[in-house]
Amino acid sequence: MKKLALILTLLASTSVWAQGDAEAGKAKSNTCVACHGADGNSVLPDYPNLAGQHANYIEKQLKEFKLGAQSGGEQGRYNAVMAGMVAPLSEQDMADLAAYYATLTPKPGTTPEGAVEIGRQLYMAGDAERGIATCVACHGPRGNGTPSSGFPKISGQSANYLASQLKMFRAEERHNDMNNMMRSVAAKLTDEEIDALSSYLGGLH
């Protein structure tokens, strides 16, 4: 019985993420193009670039958008637009889309000169006196994140999108971060710091 229980536990843990098929994901991505671009690089600054993002992170967010819609925002991650997009998706659909976008090439962004000083300081060193952790610890020196730990790639991302997400974390309107990590950091940032940090990340690659 113990061996059977162990086998069932292992099967359950490995079935959390479906095996994605990038080609199938490409065929299913037509409805995503309007916001996220034909190549996964959004031309609209309020929407994230998905090209090159870690597949497990994309899949997790899709699942949490669906959970957010089903729970009225009490769980997961709620967004009115995405709620409608994920409603018809199966877990296999989500895995396929995630696999597809992970294969695409992200376009390099730029960092405005005025954002470098504040942005670099916060990203690389944080602010120990105010209890602000460094971003580099989780997202890496080039902002590529760590897929095995679930931390997303944030370099080259739209400054508008990043700023909106940091402000949502700060206001606790987004609460699907691991161990309250993003909410804890964002709560201590000013609007000026959020804008500078978000702009800095555009050219961090």
Side-chain angles (χ1 to χ4, degrees), residues 1 14 41 132-133 155 171 183:
M1 284 298 292
T14 55
N41 292 282
I132 299 175
S155 62
R183 282 173 284 174

Side-chain angles (χ1 to χ4, degrees), residues 164-181:
S164 72
Q165 297 309 299
L166 285 171
K167 289 173 182 177
M168 287 178 71
F169 278 126
R170 186 176 65 183
E172 304 238 354
E173 293 170 0
R174 179 176 171 183
H175 43 76
N176 70 326
D177 50 327
M178 189 188 307
N179 299 323
N180 200 30
M181 294 169 72

Side-chain angles (χ1 to χ4, degrees), residues 118-127 131-146 151-155 162 166 181-182 185-186 189 193-194 196-198 200-201 204:
I118 296 175
R120 179 191 288 155
Q121 172 64 30
L122 288 169
Y123 190 85
M124 296 296 182
D127 188 330
I132 299 175
T134 71
C135 308
V136 71
C138 294
H139 295 286
R142 295 188 179 275
N144 289 323
T146 50
F151 299 119
K153 173 182 172 62
I154 53 177
S155 62
L162 289 175
L166 285 171
M181 294 169 72
M182 288 304 305
V185 170
L189 296 175
E193 288 170 332
I194 285 177
L197 183 55
S198 300
Y200 173 71
L201 287 166
L204 184 64

Side-chain angles (χ1 to χ4, degrees), residues 13-205:
S13 64
T14 55
S15 64
V16 172
W17 306 109
Q19 186 65 41
D21 182 322
E23 281 302 310
K26 182 178 181 179
K28 297 171 182 178
S29 68
N30 290 338
T31 57
C32 311
V33 169
C35 295
H36 299 290
D39 59 355
N41 292 282
S42 179
V43 295
L44 303 171
D46 292 335
Y47 298 105
N49 299 319
L50 301 181
Q53 185 59 269
H54 310 309
N56 62 339
Y57 181 78
I58 295 176
E59 187 178 352
K60 178 178 184 288
Q61 298 310 304
L62 288 172
K63 288 184 175 182
E64 293 193 351
F65 277 128
K66 193 159 191 173
L67 178 60
Q70 294 170 338
S71 66
E74 291 298 317
Q75 296 176 283
R77 179 180 177 185
Y78 183 77
N79 177 278
V81 174
M82 286 303 300
M85 295 293 102
V86 298
L89 298 180
S90 67
E91 292 200 357
Q92 187 62 56
D93 292 334
M94 296 180 195
D96 291 344
L97 286 166
Y100 168 61
Y101 280 109
T103 67
L104 300 181
T105 303
K107 292 181 179 177
T110 58
T111 296
E113 187 175 341
V116 173
E117 183 177 356
I118 296 175
R120 179 191 288 155
Q121 172 64 30
L122 288 169
Y123 190 85
M124 296 296 182
D127 188 330
E129 290 186 4
R130 294 160 59 199
I132 299 175
T134 71
C135 308
V136 71
C138 294
H139 295 286
R142 295 188 179 275
N144 289 323
T146 50
S148 59
S149 301
F151 299 119
K153 173 182 172 62
I154 53 177
S155 62
Q157 195 59 264
S158 159
N160 287 40
Y161 176 73
L162 289 175
S164 72
Q165 297 309 299
L166 285 171
K167 289 173 182 177
M168 287 178 71
F169 278 126
R170 186 176 65 183
E172 304 238 354
E173 293 170 0
R174 179 176 171 183
H175 43 76
N176 70 326
D177 50 327
M178 189 188 307
N179 299 323
N180 200 30
M181 294 169 72
M182 288 304 305
R183 282 173 284 174
S184 176
V185 170
K188 299 162 187 171
L189 296 175
T190 66
D191 283 350
E192 180 187 9
E193 288 170 332
I194 285 177
D195 291 341
L197 183 55
S198 300
S199 296
Y200 173 71
L201 287 166
L204 184 64
H205 49 70

